[in-house]
Amino acid sequence: MASGLLGGSVTACLPGDGGSSSSGSGGSSSDGSGGSDGCGCVADPIRWGYFGGFTPNAETSALSPCRFFSFERRAIRGDRLLMTCSQELEACEEGVSAGDVASALGHPDVVAALAAAPVLYGRDARPVDGSLFRIQVDGAVVDVGYECGEAPDCVPIPDGVAALADALRTLTQEQLARQTCGAVATP
């Protein structure tokens, strides 16, 4: 997989590097491993979170080039910020890395979904208090609902899109469990 999303590329990050490099000391990677340090990078900002449903709060996570994670929780009523945290992903951590996300973004299913955006895969259960998992990259929106089951006119969730959604959900859980974000209390 030589390229990331929308012409971006998977590149190496050096410790403390806030950007990406295309060659030289940072190197580049075609397998999502991120070159010499293995952490990888995302080339384009990506945001994700659940959308819809009868919930008092909206939570959004983001990953910005190279590997900067942020999270915010807002009250839907009044649009009041309840919690925010941000931190750089630890280099080569055991969990989901920026390289893992970049590799998932380069999957043919995801590339096709972003090219077709806005698009909905799966069943939209928002009319009955369900939610969609929304992934936004460079203005492109991909919504992931529930498995189709017997729902008419439902487009099944492609494997690559499902894998990206799972990786992003896991990344949020892992980052919120870290001391930096985990220490932030909600009012």
Side-chain angles (χ1 to χ4, degrees), residues 48 50 104 110 133 135 144 157 159-171:
W48 65 92
Y50 287 96
V110 176
F133 188 74
I135 303 167
V144 181
I157 305 165
D159 291 341
V161 172
L164 173 61
D166 288 343
L168 294 174
R169 283 189 283 260
T170 300
L171 178 59

Side-chain angles (χ1 to χ4, degrees), residues 36-91:
S36 62
D37 71 355
C39 66
C41 280
V42 293
D44 299 302
I46 178 172
R47 297 177 59 84
W48 65 92
Y50 287 96
F51 179 73
F54 298 121
T55 178
N57 303 322
E59 297 181 346
T60 305
S61 298
L63 188 58
S64 301
C66 170
R67 58 178 187 239
F68 189 78
F69 173 83
S70 61
F71 174 85
E72 77 175 28
R73 178 179 296 137
R74 289 191 168 277
I76 291 178
R77 186 172 293 202
D79 193 36
R80 187 170 54 97
L81 184 62
L82 301 174
M83 175 186 168
T84 185
C85 75
S86 57
Q87 60 200 11
E88 188 170 17
L89 299 184
E90 293 176 336

Side-chain angles (χ1 to χ4, degrees), residues 12 92 102 126 155:
C92 309
R126 288 178 296 175
V155 179

Side-chain angles (χ1 to χ4, degrees), residues 1 42 58 79 106 116 125 137 141 162 179:
M1 206 170 309
V42 293
D79 193 36
V137 182
V141 175
Q179 185 174 4

Side-chain angles (χ1 to χ4, degrees), residues 13-17 33 36-40 67 88-98 175 178:
C13 296
L14 297 174
D17 182 14
S33 66
S36 62
D37 71 355
C39 66
R67 58 178 187 239
E88 188 170 17
L89 299 184
E90 293 176 336
C92 309
E93 57 190 271
E94 293 180 19
V96 176
S97 70
Q175 293 306 305
R178 281 180 57 197

